[in-house]
Amino acid sequence: MPQSDLAAAELIERVHWLIRLRWWAVGGVLVVITLADQLLGLAATRQTLYLIALLLGLYNVALWVAARWLRAFARREAALLANLQISADLFLLALLLHYSGGIENPFIFYFIFHIIIASILLSRRATFFQASLAFLLVLGLAFGERSGALAHHHFKGLPMNGHESGSYLAGVVISLASTLYFAAYMATSITGRLRAREAEIVSLSAELESEAAELQRAYAQLQEADRIKSQYLRKVSHELRSPLSAIQSALNVVLEGLTGEVSEKSREMIARAENRTWGLLKITRDLLLLSRAREAQLKARMEPVDLRDTIGRVVELLRPRAQSGEVSLETDLADGLVISGDRESLEQLFTNLVSNAIKYTPPGGRVMLTAHGSEEAVSAEVRDTGIGIPAEQIPSIFEEFFRANNARHFQRDGTGLGLSIAKASVEAHRGEIAVESELGKGTTFRVVLPRGLGAAPSPEGAEAEPGA
């Protein structure tokens, strides 16, 4: 909503507040008139005062009816209506005072309340206008009664003939006028600052809404770009995998001598080509897995999966690798670890984590898998006593193609996609993955997977490739 519309809406709400406040004023006037009549006697002006109170009530009824249509008004019309209300209230207050002691009535200082209300509803200029109107009404009442142009209605208990004393009139008028203008200045200064702060807040809110909308649009564009990139990677990886597999098979045929005798030099060159082809095939497969894991958030192929069985299969698959590297591979898996997810994607997730743990743990080290469940989720940990990750590089380990410096020196082979695939799989299941590591002492990956809220991926045709 534009700031001008908000200001108009706020002014309209204040006008409604003034109408509600006036009902209390009507009740208060009736109570005061009744008590004063019983205590002091108002035989001469009782009916007139009650008539003025009735007029105030009817006037407020008319405003209440008009206020039902006020929300359709513009700010200018709402401000005009607020000004007219304050002015009418001042005239009615002056009329009540005239028939209840005039300038001698101590309730004459109630004009100040109207000025404070005006400062809440109106601008500073309009508030000083209302203060001037109140001053002129008091001045006219005082000198009108003193000159005889207005009849003076005396109340018992009030100063006798005070309206005839020039010094008394001057004192009341001057003190009331100074109070009116001082109240107008103070009240408008305070409300002016409050309105300025409100305007700043409204402006900041509008800016935040605009920035939030812009961020939402940018996020949607990033999502679309990521989706297109994943589709592109999947298509390219799929197209490359078949010819690379054919090239590798052809090179293996030559290396095995099925096409005839091959010289030692030629065999060496073909072996190097075959090794490079295998590397390309491996990275192609990892790219295919990554793209499918990311696109999986748009697909749902859910089924009950027992992570105890899934992790068990991964451990048995990788145990020979751990034994050949002299690494102890242990598990501590609770029962009842069933979640809703994609079996192949979850198996690939733990294959990558455990394979990495074995790969970067020196001989004599230890890799430990633990898993336990709660009512809402299953938590699993893959802990190793390996080389660890430099603290400054931990934030980057889930990025595509990233490998820590010490990992490159310890093990040259690796695509840098294993952890990216793992993270994509966890996110596709609406889970969380975190890492803790200390250089030279080991690394722990923690995975939390909700039992039934994951949107599982569908890596059809994906081949679980141990290692990253």
Side-chain angles (χ1 to χ4, degrees):
M1 180 183 291
Q3 187 170 342
S4 59
D5 293 343
L6 288 173
E10 182 182 0
L11 179 57
I12 290 171
E13 288 300 323
R14 290 173 181 171
V15 170
H16 282 270
W17 166 78
L18 179 57
I19 293 172
R20 292 192 297 270
L21 184 64
R22 193 175 290 106
W23 288 120
W24 288 95
V26 171
V29 169
L30 291 173
V31 170
V32 171
I33 292 173
T34 302
L35 291 176
D37 184 33
Q38 293 177 355
L39 297 176
L40 304 175
L42 302 175
T45 59
R46 180 192 308 115
Q47 292 182 351
T48 304
L49 290 172
Y50 277 119
L51 183 61
I52 296 173
L54 177 62
L55 179 62
L56 180 61
L58 293 174
Y59 153 69
N60 206 44
V61 169
L63 287 174
W64 177 76
V65 173
R68 297 176 60 185
W69 311 100
L70 187 60
R71 297 188 187 279
F73 290 0
R75 182 180 180 183
R76 183 176 180 181
E77 286 75 13
L80 178 61
L81 182 60
N83 271 287
L84 292 175
Q85 285 189 71
I86 299 293
S87 299
D89 288 341
L90 293 175
F91 276 107
L92 287 173
L93 177 59
L95 196 60
L96 282 169
L97 291 172
H98 171 61
Y99 285 99
S100 57
I103 199 71
E104 299 166 356
N105 193 327
F107 284 100
I108 196 168
F109 285 92
Y110 268 46
F111 278 106
I112 298 171
F113 292 144
H114 288 77
I115 301 307
I116 294 174
I117 292 173
S119 70
I120 297 174
L121 270 72
L122 310 176
S123 65
R124 169 170 286 196
R125 178 182 297 179
T127 300
F128 275 96
F129 169 80
Q130 299 295 345
S132 299
L133 177 61
F135 169 70
L136 291 175
L137 288 171
V138 172
L139 191 65
L141 181 63
F143 289 98
E145 291 186 359
R146 186 174 189 277
S147 65
L150 296 175
H152 177 68
H153 303 280
H154 180 68
F155 261 30
K156 294 179 181 179
L158 298 181
M160 179 65 70
N161 300 325
H163 67 287
E164 297 178 353
S165 170
S167 58
Y168 176 82
L169 291 179
V172 171
V173 170
I174 292 174
S175 61
L176 180 60
S178 60
T179 305
L180 286 174
Y181 285 109
F182 183 73
Y185 173 76
M186 291 297 295
T188 54
S189 297
I190 295 172
T191 55
R193 291 185 179 182
L194 290 175
R195 287 172 185 170
R197 296 295 180 268
E198 289 176 358
E200 290 178 5
I201 293 173
V202 170
S203 178
L204 287 174
S205 298
E207 290 180 8
L208 288 175
E209 288 180 3
S210 176
E211 291 179 1
E214 186 63 30
L215 285 174
Q216 187 64 32
R217 287 192 294 270
Y219 179 69
Q221 291 174 355
L222 285 174
Q223 281 188 316
E224 179 63 16
D226 190 64
R227 185 188 66 81
I228 294 173
K229 184 184 74 172
S230 296
Q231 287 183 342
Y232 177 76
L233 283 176
R234 179 170 57 84
K235 184 175 181 180
V236 170
S237 301
H238 182 76
E239 294 296 329
L240 288 176
R241 187 172 61 171
S242 295
L244 285 173
S245 297
I247 292 172
Q248 186 186 29
S249 298
L251 292 174
N252 281 328
V253 169
V254 175
L255 286 174
E256 292 172 4
L258 298 179
T259 60
E261 191 68 27
V262 180
S263 66
E264 189 63 29
K265 185 65 175 178
S266 297
R267 179 179 296 276
E268 180 184 348
M269 297 301 295
I270 293 172
R272 291 172 61 182
E274 192 275 340
N275 185 56
R276 292 293 186 181
T277 304
W278 167 249
L280 285 173
L281 185 58
K282 186 176 180 182
I283 197 172
T284 300
R285 289 173 177 174
D286 282 352
L287 285 172
L288 186 59
L289 287 171
L290 179 61
S291 63
R292 284 174 174 169
R294 288 181 171 173
E295 287 186 22
Q297 299 184 36
L298 306 177
K299 305 173 183 178
R301 196 181 70 176
M302 312 295 292
E303 61 178 329
V305 178
D306 190 339
L307 288 183
R308 179 184 174 90
D309 294 341
T310 299
I311 295 175
R313 286 194 301 272
V314 170
V315 169
E316 292 307 313
L317 174 68
L318 297 177
R319 190 175 297 280
R321 177 180 294 187
Q323 292 173 347
S324 65
E326 300 180 13
V327 174
S328 172
L329 182 57
E330 304 172 13
T331 61
D332 180 11
L333 309 176
D335 293 323
L337 303 181
V338 179
I339 69 170
S340 180
D342 179 76
R343 191 179 306 277
E344 292 184 24
S345 176
L346 292 170
E347 189 167 325
Q348 184 68 46
L349 161 65
F350 288 103
T351 296
N352 285 357
L353 293 180
V354 178
S355 177
N356 271 4
I358 295 172
K359 179 189 294 186
Y360 297 114
T361 299
R366 178 170 174 262
V367 174
M368 181 72 180
L369 279 82
T370 61
H372 63 276
S374 65
E375 185 176 348
E376 297 82 14
V378 171
S379 300
E381 285 189 357
V382 179
R383 184 184 305 112
D384 65 58
T385 58
I387 62 175
I389 306 169
E392 68 276 8
Q393 296 185 348
I394 289 179
S396 303
I397 61 172
F398 292 110
E399 295 177 4
E400 299 167 17
F401 304 107
F402 179 83
R403 298 184 70 204
N405 294 334
N406 59 336
R408 293 177 183 273
H409 291 127
F410 187 82
Q411 182 67 257
R412 294 187 62 183
D413 292 338
T415 64
L417 291 172
L419 292 179
S420 299
I421 295 170
K423 186 173 187 292
S425 179
V426 171
E427 290 178 345
H429 286 81
R430 302 298 188 263
E432 297 178 356
I433 184 169
V435 59
E436 291 181 3
S437 185
E438 187 174 353
L439 194 61
K441 294 187 177 181
T443 302
T444 299
F445 283 92
R446 293 186 177 87
V447 175
V448 179
L449 298 170
R451 285 193 181 269
L453 299 179
S458 55
E460 299 176 1
E463 300 180 22
E465 181 64 30

